[in-house]
Amino acid sequence: MSSVETAPVGTGAPIPPDRIVNDFSIQVATVNGSGSQSANLVLLRSLFQMGIPVSGKNLFPSNIAGLPTWYTIRTNKKGYIGRKKEIDFMVAMNAETAREDVLDLPSGAAVVYDEPLHLDAVRTDLHFYPVPFTKIVTPVCPNAKLRKLVKNIIYDGVLAWLLGIELEEIYKALLKQFSTKPKAAELNWNAVQAGYEFAKENLPKTDPFYVERMNATKGKIIIEGNAAAALGSIFAGVSVVTWYPITPSSSLAETLTDYARKYRIDKETGTANFAIVQAEDELASIGMALGAGWAGARSMTATAGPGISLMSEFVGLGYFAEIPVVIFDVQRMGPSTGLPTRTAQGDLIACATLSHGDTFHPMLIPSSPEECFEMAGQAFDLAEELQTPIFVMLDLDLGMNYWMADKFEYPTKPFNRGKVLDSEDLDRRGVFERYRDVDGDGICYRTLPGTENPLAAYFTRGTGHNEAAQYSERPDDWTRNMDRLARKYKTARAKMPAPEIDEVEEASIGLIVCGTTHFAAVESRDQLSSEQGLQTSYLRVRGFPFNRDIIDFIRGHDRVYIVDQNRDGQLLQLIRADCPAEMVSRLRSVRYYGGLPIDSRTITDSILEQEGL
Amino acid sequence: MSTAAAPPPKKVNRIGLELKQYRGLKTTLCAGCGHNSISERIIECCFEMGIDPQRVIKLSGIGCSSKSPAYFLNTSHAFNAVHGRMPSVATGAMLANHKLIALGVTGDGDSASIGIGQFVHLMRRNLPIIYVIEDNGCYGLTKGQFSATADLGSTLKTGVANDLPPIDTCALAIELGATFVARSFSGDKKQLQSILKAGLSHHGTVMIDVISPCVTFNDHSGSTKSYSYVRDHRHDLNAVDFVPFFDEIHVEDEIEPGELREVTLHDGSTLLLKKIEEGYDPSDMMAAVKTLHEHAQRGQVLTGVFYVNTEKSDFIELLNLTDAPLWQVSESNGGRPQESALAEIMEELS
């Protein structure tokens, strides 16, 4: 540690301002694999249990142990849960990054740090709280091997004292975190208390940050988007799940496996009404999911960018042979391997048109755990209704971070299994042609393998085919089929979930966003309004192909800012392709692609700059 | 079966179907292609075994071989997948409906090159499937390039020699966990029939590599997969006979009981292997691999059933699935857990 080699930075001791209650962010800097995740979740949950709106974001390396990791918790009484750029309260546990962590803080921030790091020598304008973690942990954790893991939870006790977190809530959160390990819960509880006692006796409070009990989280849950999507799939009757491990989507399949084992095993026979297969790669996971969809099962896979690239050929087959399947893409930063543990909305264009030739694929774009749950259900209905691959576009921020959410509503609608003919239907019709557009909506009738009727069989292929599913190279057969698929696109458009719209009458500018950008955008609109008096209308896209409401929204505003979490403005590009030429000039772009969840200030500043304000 | 009706009764099998009901479209492969003989054997075997074609799914990848499912079993559903990735589609389909009979047809390019990854994992899972490699040692549909089963030193029509060693799909399949592994020759009607019929009675992955000369690109003197080469160099490991479980089991007179190895398959039928190799035991995995390598070194094309394991669980059994096929899972039969389950989960998360 070289923190004392240079002169301290700052303008003198901080002046204590007024109390700042339930409106600040805490960042914990630790080393990956040191047990800090438990300590952070207990902290998050304690605040949540105190009724304070809270969000937690894990900024972690692509590594299992040893590299720096940061966990940011934001409390906000107004309910803003997007990322906040500035850190107000730092817990510096990692010698590697401590100096830089502290130098990045805004003046007046508070720092709890591991005493030997001597961070108080780095700056003069912060509130410093040195804590001898090693000294405190020794008596409460006699087993030297466990000390490294228990050491971190001590800062929960220290923060409880400094911020006013109720110890009872920390205890409850601990029991939840270690529900299957009562011994670990006790050990950690002792450490929390030791931290609290130390702080009470040795750390006079000088910073302005406090938490106070509220009533804003009653009836809510805390959940990751991946778990919500997994639950949505479970309650939507998914029966074949094929996947290949990849960050940040693995936990979707893993959580799904846990819930399926608990809730989808027949109690009498002990048999499973689901099959979950970890495939050899993404080529196989999508192939299996398609095979299962073809044979009539509700099937899905979950992946991220590199997996999407590998699935490209099969997804084209799924589109062309018209096979239902649901693909969850938990987006991470690309291109290539990119930043596997950082978030982005970088696969929008790739998924919308994945594979060679003329294709399109419907996408559902959730922004919250509630929508992950609901849209998972919708995706299985749409896949079978439209007989085509459906993408559900999460991102790492939504999928892997913990979010406050309303309790999920129990779905009551029957599954929509689409146009499937059984043996009796075939007898009644007397004729079956797999790719004939009987209803004029571009969606044809299909039969499932195993249907006991000599009319049922057809040949599924990725090569050119006529209405009777026979191989054909005739230009008219090919064109007719492609035109019908285009008709299906129109049908799909009407079935996509409508956007969320907040139209403000006096607003001449509008914002269009999708997915997790929502949380920063909501806050940004308030900033624009309160700081500059700038009123904005708002539209959040929830599905592709786009609903016509989007065009009406653009028509109703002079300038429309489309906010993207990618470099090339992918949402903008997709909307522009749909937009009448005379309205294209109204479209403007706000882009962020640093890998962290977008924050409100980035949006606000970009809009103000473009507005010349 | 007999009736008093005047016209002579049509020849039907035990489920009342005629041979023609097992046929497919007219082949578009080259005249004399070994693949057409294999299609014929599939038609005969399914007819004679009384397989219900409506329960069969025909699966293939890309290539000449993969076109052939159009030429048999017209009333079976078929899926012509992407190149090398039929195994995953077959796996998914069988997960959705384990009552189906999966019949996969692939080629040496499809399985041993682009699809080797999926081939490997299919064998490893022991998925219930009859997996036939129509092996001609070349890429027919793209005009004759070498495949990964082409023998070292064999030549293209242009005279270019292959300088890489071949992949032995049978040795690989045995090592990986397939439970019925055989090799045959498209020109040997009797042996291929016996092997296919036995395969249809087996539970688990049935891997049959059928040497099937390409008459257009690989039936010349430099090829080791030509008709003449295979006829001159083949060496039968065992004479194979098969007795379906619905026939009365009998032993043909000319086979000495001491020379017979009977393998009872899952449905009760019997595979009779007439031993030629001294001490050859089809349940001995190590011996099977050794025998394959020894004959390959001698330049012999060994045919017969190399390995049978009737003990190992197949992939469907490992997953402990409900008896009802998974495609039938709906909101009313357990596909959507009760409202109380969601309430319980929500409580845990709050």
Side-chain angles (χ1 to χ4, degrees):
Chain A
M1 186 63 219
S2 57
S3 62
V4 287
E5 284 168 17
T6 46
V9 178
T11 52
I15 303 149
D18 295 338
R19 281 163 67 96
I20 297 172
V21 180
N22 296 347
D23 186 13
F24 58 93
S25 64
I26 306 166
Q27 186 167 74
V28 182
T30 53
V31 175
N32 212 22
S34 65
S36 56
Q37 182 70 348
S38 300
N40 298 333
L41 292 180
V42 166
L43 195 58
L44 180 79
R45 195 167 272 286
S46 310
L47 295 166
F48 171 78
Q49 287 165 193
M50 284 178 68
I52 306 161
V54 68
S55 65
K57 296 199 187 296
N58 194 10
L59 173 57
F60 61 108
S62 183
N63 160 265
I64 297 303
L67 287 184
T69 176
W70 294 266
Y71 194 80
T72 309
I73 292 174
R74 179 177 186 187
T75 67
N76 185 277
K77 58 190 164 213
K78 289 184 190 159
Y80 298 140
I81 52 174
R83 185 172 73 90
K84 183 171 184 275
K85 241 181 177 173
E86 308 77 25
I87 303 301
D88 303 301
F89 209 109
M90 168 66 70
V91 179
M93 300 294 288
N94 184 358
E96 292 276 335
T97 63
R99 189 184 154 79
E100 208 182 321
D101 287 340
V102 164
L103 282 171
D104 283 347
L105 292 172
S107 187
V111 186
V112 168
Y113 66 98
D114 199 9
E115 196 172 35
L117 299 177
H118 299 297
L119 293 178
D120 52 344
V122 179
R123 281 176 67 166
T124 60
D125 56 344
L126 305 175
H127 304 275
F128 284 104
Y129 302 106
V131 179
F133 285 97
T134 309
K135 240 183 252 172
I136 298 172
V137 78
T138 310
V140 295
C141 185
N143 184 340
K145 279 186 197 156
L146 293 176
R147 273 179 209 150
K148 196 184 103 179
L149 296 174
V150 174
K151 193 172 146 186
N152 275 317
I153 202 95
I154 292 172
Y155 61 71
D156 284 4
V158 172
L159 292 181
W161 164 254
L162 288 170
L163 298 173
I165 304 168
E166 296 167 20
L167 270 183
E168 197 186 320
E169 298 300 346
I170 294 199
Y171 183 63
K172 269 199 260 172
L174 260 177
L175 290 185
K176 203 147 205 166
Q177 182 70 26
F178 297 101
S179 60
T180 56
K181 303 173 193 160
K183 275 193 184 163
E186 195 191 331
L187 194 61
N188 280 285
W189 174 234
N190 291 339
V192 169
Q193 287 175 300
Y196 185 86
E197 290 305 323
F198 170 84
K200 191 175 168 186
E201 281 164 32
N202 301 289
L203 303 177
K205 171 92 170 168
T206 58
D207 70 84
F209 304 108
Y210 291 91
V211 295
E212 280 175 12
R213 183 167 276 279
M214 287 175 68
N215 196 20
T217 66
K218 199 163 186 256
K220 289 191 184 284
I221 58 168
I222 287 194
I223 190 169
E224 309 109 303
N226 280 351
L231 277 174
S233 306
I234 291 276
F235 282 83
V238 68
S239 62
V240 176
V241 180
T242 54
W243 66 291
Y244 185 75
I246 182 169
T247 304
S249 78
S250 303
S251 64
L252 201 165
E254 285 165 339
T255 315
L256 200 156
T257 307
D258 291 343
Y259 282 123
R261 284 187 182 145
K262 193 160 177 197
Y263 295 106
R264 293 276 302 271
I265 300 254
D266 185 84
K267 288 211 171 72
E268 276 169 35
T269 61
T271 54
N273 67 8
F274 61 89
I276 300 176
V277 178
Q278 184 187 319
E280 57 269 33
D281 52 32
E282 288 92 345
L283 303 172
S285 57
I286 184 65
M288 290 178 193
L290 279 170
W294 173 71
R298 296 201 137 188
S299 66
M300 61 167 272
T301 184
T303 190
I308 292 292
S309 295
L310 283 172
M311 290 179 185
S312 168
E313 187 183 10
F314 251 137
V315 169
L317 175 67
Y319 169 76
F320 192 61
E322 300 178 65
I323 301 169
V325 67
V326 175
I327 303 164
F328 290 91
D329 177 12
V330 188
Q331 297 168 90
R332 68 188 215 188
M333 185 58 86
S336 192
T337 308
L339 296 171
T341 61
R342 298 289 191 270
T343 196
Q345 298 175 325
D347 301 345
L348 294 176
I349 288 179
C351 289
T353 62
L354 195 66
S355 208
H356 53 277
D358 293 323
T359 59
F360 86 92
H361 312 292
M363 301 190 288
L364 299 174
I365 314 171
S367 76
S368 63
E370 294 94 321
E371 281 189 341
C372 288
F373 181 80
E374 283 162 29
M375 286 183 175
Q378 287 171 359
F380 287 100
D381 279 351
L382 284 169
E384 290 191 317
E385 218 184 329
L386 296 167
Q387 300 176 16
T388 201
I390 303 285
F391 285 91
V392 186
M393 307 295 289
L394 284 74
D395 60 27
L396 181 142
D397 184 23
L398 178 57
M400 287 190 75
N401 283 323
Y402 283 87
W403 297 81
M404 282 195 316
D406 289 328
K407 285 183 177 168
F408 302 156
E409 273 178 44
Y410 187 70
T412 51
K413 258 176 50 183
F415 300 161
N416 185 344
R417 306 303 306 263
K419 299 181 185 178
V420 178
L421 301 177
D422 63 16
S423 184
E424 283 171 23
D425 297 330
L426 291 167
D427 281 340
R428 215 174 306 121
R429 290 170 179 244
V431 63
F432 168 59
E433 287 176 305
R434 170 66 181 97
Y435 297 109
R436 184 170 294 283
D437 188 4
V438 178
D439 301 330
D441 57 2
I443 307 167
C444 310
Y445 288 82
R446 64 179 184 137
T447 57
L448 304 182
T451 304
E452 289 183 5
N453 193 308
L455 289 176
Y458 68 94
F459 208 99
T460 304
R461 59 174 104 240
T463 43
H465 44 261
N466 61 17
E467 276 114 334
Q470 290 156 335
Y471 181 71
S472 171
E473 296 177 0
R474 292 169 58 105
D476 56 339
D477 280 338
W478 181 266
T479 313
R480 196 179 308 124
N481 193 39
M482 291 305 284
D483 288 347
R484 181 182 56 75
L485 287 167
R487 223 157 34 240
K488 191 152 94 168
Y489 180 87
K490 281 190 186 157
T491 303
R493 193 193 287 280
K495 290 183 185 295
M496 290 297 122
E500 178 192 328
I501 300 176
D502 177 21
E503 194 119 31
V504 174
E505 220 169 279
E506 60 270 32
S508 59
I509 70 172
L511 267 71
I512 295 182
V513 312
C514 71
T516 49
T517 310
H518 172 69
F519 302 97
V522 166
E523 191 175 353
S524 170
R525 291 179 68 207
D526 288 353
Q527 287 168 354
L528 291 167
S529 156
S530 66
E531 294 168 17
Q532 300 287 336
L534 196 61
Q535 301 302 312
T536 57
S537 292
Y538 182 65
L539 184 146
R540 179 167 63 82
V541 172
R542 305 199 313 144
F544 171 89
F546 300 127
N547 188 289
R548 285 295 172 208
D549 293 351
I550 296 176
I551 302 305
D552 292 341
F553 181 87
I554 297 169
R555 188 174 286 119
H557 296 87
D558 297 340
R559 292 174 302 286
V560 175
Y561 290 89
I562 299 176
V563 189
D564 265 289
Q565 296 192 58
N566 54 63
R567 186 195 66 183
D568 293 344
Q570 297 192 17
L571 181 63
L572 168 76
Q573 289 190 47
L574 289 174
I575 290 175
R576 191 160 53 200
D578 249 24
C579 193
E582 72 276 12
M583 290 182 348
V584 167
S585 62
R586 299 174 187 210
L587 304 180
R588 304 206 172 176
S589 184
V590 176
R591 302 173 192 189
Y592 171 78
Y593 42 95
L596 304 176
I598 192 169
D599 67 282
S600 59
R601 196 36 75 183
T602 296
I603 301 175
T604 304
D605 291 351
S606 173
I607 292 177
L608 289 178
E609 194 190 331
Q610 295 185 61
E611 287 288 312
L613 293 169
Chain B
M1 291 294 285
S2 65
T3 63
K10 285 171 181 164
K11 196 187 170 200
V12 294
N13 64 8
R14 66 191 183 93
I15 61 165
L17 296 180
E18 294 173 63
L19 181 66
K20 69 176 185 196
Q21 288 170 284
Y22 287 83
R23 296 211 173 275
L25 303 174
K26 189 173 174 294
T27 179
T28 60
L29 298 172
C30 306
C33 175
H35 299 359
N36 290 330
S37 309
I38 300 171
S39 295
E40 281 302 314
R41 300 296 87 74
I42 291 171
I43 291 167
E44 291 157 7
C45 289
C46 288
F47 168 72
E48 286 170 24
M49 295 280 288
I51 301 285
D52 180 359
Q54 291 165 22
R55 271 185 63 208
V56 174
I57 47 172
K58 303 176 290 182
L59 303 131
S60 61
I62 295 291
C64 291
S65 60
S66 295
K67 294 171 94 170
S68 69
Y71 316 136
F72 56 82
L73 305 190
N74 230 0
T75 54
S76 303
H77 275 75
F79 197 132
N80 191 193
V82 292
H83 201 9
R85 273 158 280 164
M86 171 264 277
S88 61
V89 172
T91 305
M94 290 304 283
L95 295 177
N97 187 351
H98 62 83
K99 312 257 178 190
L100 298 171
I101 299 164
L103 176 53
V105 178
T106 171
D108 40 308
D110 204 49
S111 277
S113 287
I114 190 168
I116 193 82
Q118 298 217 339
F119 173 80
V120 162
H121 289 275
L122 180 78
M123 298 301 128
R124 204 178 145 235
R125 291 190 180 101
N126 195 29
L127 182 86
I129 185 172
I130 323 278
Y131 189 90
V132 178
I133 304 180
E134 300 185 340
D135 185 357
N136 56 15
C138 74
Y139 287 79
L141 206 53
T142 51
K143 304 198 171 175
Q145 299 84 354
F146 281 125
S147 85
T149 66
D151 288 304
L152 193 62
S154 63
T155 59
L156 292 181
K157 256 185 163 172
T158 56
V160 175
N162 177 34
D163 49 13
L164 291 175
I167 290 173
D168 184 336
T169 51
C170 287
L172 198 54
I174 294 168
E175 201 144 298
L176 291 165
T179 48
F180 186 113
V181 180
R183 176 168 286 134
S184 190
F185 173 48
S186 64
D188 186 339
K189 183 173 172 176
K190 186 170 182 300
Q191 186 198 43
L192 183 53
Q193 267 191 349
S194 298
I195 292 175
L196 277 171
K197 284 184 185 174
L200 282 163
S201 292
H202 181 76
H203 291 191
T205 299
V206 176
M207 209 301 279
I208 309 172
D209 180 56
V210 186
I211 308 296
S212 175
C214 175
V215 288
T216 304
F217 298 107
N218 216 1
D219 198 29
H220 51 90
S221 57
S223 163
T224 59
K225 295 220 176 358
S226 65
Y227 281 106
S228 56
Y229 185 92
V230 176
R231 282 208 186 95
D232 294 348
H233 292 78
R234 72 181 268 224
H235 179 76
D236 293 336
L237 173 63
N238 38 34
V240 186
D241 206 350
F242 173 74
V243 185
F245 77 104
F246 39 83
D247 281 4
E248 190 186 333
I249 294 174
H250 64 279
V251 175
E252 284 176 38
D253 287 338
E254 76 264 28
I255 303 170
E256 292 294 318
E259 291 180 348
L260 271 178
R261 170 109 199 164
E262 290 190 14
V263 181
T264 305
L265 298 171
H266 301 83
D267 58 6
S269 56
T270 309
L271 177 64
L272 299 174
L273 298 176
K274 184 180 168 192
K275 283 196 273 181
I276 288 175
E277 294 283 322
E278 195 60 41
Y280 187 79
D281 176 1
S283 68
D284 185 339
M285 182 188 273
M286 308 278 270
V289 175
K290 187 163 173 270
T291 308
L292 275 167
H293 286 306
E294 280 171 356
H295 284 77
Q297 277 188 345
R298 282 183 231 143
Q300 289 174 332
V301 182
L302 192 64
T303 68
V305 178
F306 306 133
Y307 180 62
V308 182
N309 178 345
T310 57
E311 306 293 316
K312 193 176 155 184
S313 297
D314 69 39
F315 192 52
I316 301 297
E317 287 162 350
L318 287 178
L319 289 167
N320 194 29
L321 301 183
T322 52
D323 184 56
L326 293 183
W327 73 266
Q328 291 175 358
V329 168
S330 76
E331 65 276 22
S332 54
N333 63 8
R336 177 184 281 159
Q338 299 292 315
E339 193 162 3
S340 57
L342 186 62
E344 182 180 277
I345 296 165
M346 291 301 104
E347 199 45 48
E348 279 167 18
L349 296 168
S350 62

